[in-house]
Amino acid sequence: MKWGIIGTGNMGSMLTTSLIKSGAIPAHDLTIYNRTLKKAEDLQEEFPNLNVAKDLISLQKTSEILFICVKPHHYKDIIDSLKEDWTENQCLVSITSPVAVKQLEKATPCQVARIVPSITNHALAGVSLFTFGSRINEKYRQLLLTTFQQISTPIEVEEEHIRVASDIVSCGPAFISYLLSEWIKAAGDVAGLPEQKATALSENMMIGLGELLSQRIMTLDELMEKVTVKGGVTGEGLQALEDHIGPLFHKMFQATQNKHKEDKKNIDLQ
């Protein structure tokens, strides 16, 4: 099976690196393309058996499964460049949420899927979000699922939930990192804990929390119950969070939903 990736920015590079390092795709079966050739060639230096295409058409012709890893407003240019040469036996995979699977099916004759990855896939962990088009056959469906099982936990998501699911899976690491940065700063401001030590403590706490959850030792509710002693310090801290968090997360999801709607209005692949 020959695979192709268009775009080697943050997500395209992450997918290339993770899929090869995990053994999910042999480097010699993967070809990448980037408008700035050096970015693709830098990846080829890391993986000498990786192929680099000089143009989009040659990549399309040699790929059975082709990923588009560019920003949403560049999709039309890519689709227009490739529209004459798709076959029904090829599979096009989008990694962005604003471009709907049905839009891609209308614009191309090939089979279509959307897979939204996460930066956590770098560690061969986290989730990848799947939405399959109506034309995709069982061979491609199973191949994509089993391939991404090597770097993530694949979860199918309906079109109407793709934005909020992406907020959790794809944007979530940035949101949580921001909250932890504020947490670390507050530990210094309030109690004088040096930033370096607060950072080390927080990072390792998060790693331990992740292990508790990944090993199914406790659920989130069970964890809070186990740590919270009646009348204790944790209870006081949780009460302060409850008193002051307000509509923070509602506002965050509302902002991303609004941006998603705006992005979708500006995408026309026809």
Side-chain angles (χ1 to χ4, degrees):
M1 183 66 65
K2 298 298 182 182
W3 305 69
I5 291 178
I6 298 173
T8 56
N10 289 337
M11 286 295 105
S13 295
M14 183 279 293
L15 280 179
T16 300
T17 300
S18 300
L19 290 168
I20 293 174
K21 284 187 174 180
S22 68
I25 299 176
H28 59 78
D29 284 338
L30 180 59
T31 303
I32 60 175
Y33 168 83
N34 196 73
R35 186 172 52 182
T36 303
L37 188 59
K38 187 178 184 306
K39 288 186 178 181
E41 290 175 338
D42 287 344
L43 279 170
Q44 191 180 43
E45 286 186 14
E46 185 176 358
F47 305 105
N49 292 327
L50 178 65
N51 306 293
V52 173
K54 303 301 182 183
D55 58 79
L56 285 171
I57 299 299
S58 63
L59 175 60
Q60 182 189 34
K61 288 182 176 178
T62 57
S63 300
E64 294 163 90
I65 298 178
L66 183 57
F67 287 79
I68 299 183
C69 303
V70 300
K71 293 178 180 178
H73 61 273
H74 291 313
Y75 264 65
K76 189 177 190 309
D77 291 339
I78 299 292
I79 296 299
D80 285 348
S81 297
L82 302 177
K83 63 183 179 182
E84 302 297 332
D85 294 293
W86 290 112
T87 73
E88 295 178 359
N89 293 323
Q90 287 178 298
C91 182
L92 168 62
V93 182
S94 164
I95 69 161
T96 190
S97 61
V99 180
V101 168
K102 287 184 179 179
Q103 284 180 287
L104 290 170
E105 286 190 315
K106 287 181 180 178
T108 68
C110 59
Q111 301 175 53
V112 172
R114 178 176 56 212
I115 303 174
V116 178
S118 166
I119 197 70
T120 56
N121 301 160
H122 255 309
L124 312 186
V127 173
S128 52
L129 304 174
F130 276 65
T131 307
F132 292 109
S134 60
R135 295 195 297 260
I136 195 163
N137 62 33
E138 192 61 21
K139 170 191 169 184
Y140 278 136
R141 178 190 291 265
Q142 290 305 316
L143 179 59
L144 289 170
L145 287 169
T146 56
T147 298
F148 273 77
Q149 281 173 353
Q150 305 299 309
I151 67 169
S152 65
T153 299
I155 295 179
E156 289 193 48
V157 177
E158 298 81 3
E159 187 70 44
E160 63 265 30
H161 295 145
I162 190 61
R163 181 61 262 157
V164 67
S166 297
D167 291 341
I168 295 170
V169 166
S170 191
C171 303
F175 297 155
I176 297 299
S177 294
Y178 173 78
L179 293 174
L180 280 176
S181 295
E182 291 296 302
W183 159 297
I184 289 165
K185 183 176 182 296
D189 291 345
V190 174
L193 187 63
E195 182 179 350
Q196 186 175 0
K197 186 163 286 186
T199 299
L201 293 174
S202 299
E203 287 175 348
N204 282 283
M205 178 275 295
M206 287 295 292
I207 292 168
L209 173 60
E211 287 296 318
L212 282 174
L213 296 173
S214 68
Q215 295 178 38
R216 301 291 190 266
I217 294 172
M218 295 180 193
T219 65
L220 291 173
D221 286 340
E222 289 169 345
L223 198 148
M224 283 192 288
E225 183 181 349
K226 292 287 186 183
V227 177
T228 306
V229 178
K230 188 174 182 180
V233 172
T234 305
E236 289 297 311
L238 286 172
Q239 187 61 55
L241 287 173
E242 186 176 333
D243 291 343
H244 296 283
I245 199 166
L248 172 65
F249 292 112
H250 290 79
K251 293 294 185 183
M252 182 199 75
F253 283 119
Q254 286 167 2
T256 56
Q257 290 286 320
N258 290 339
K259 176 63 172 150
H260 183 65
K261 291 174 184 175
E262 178 185 327
D263 287 344
K264 286 180 73 68
K265 286 179 181 178
N266 295 327
I267 294 172
D268 181 8
L269 302 183
Q270 300 299 317

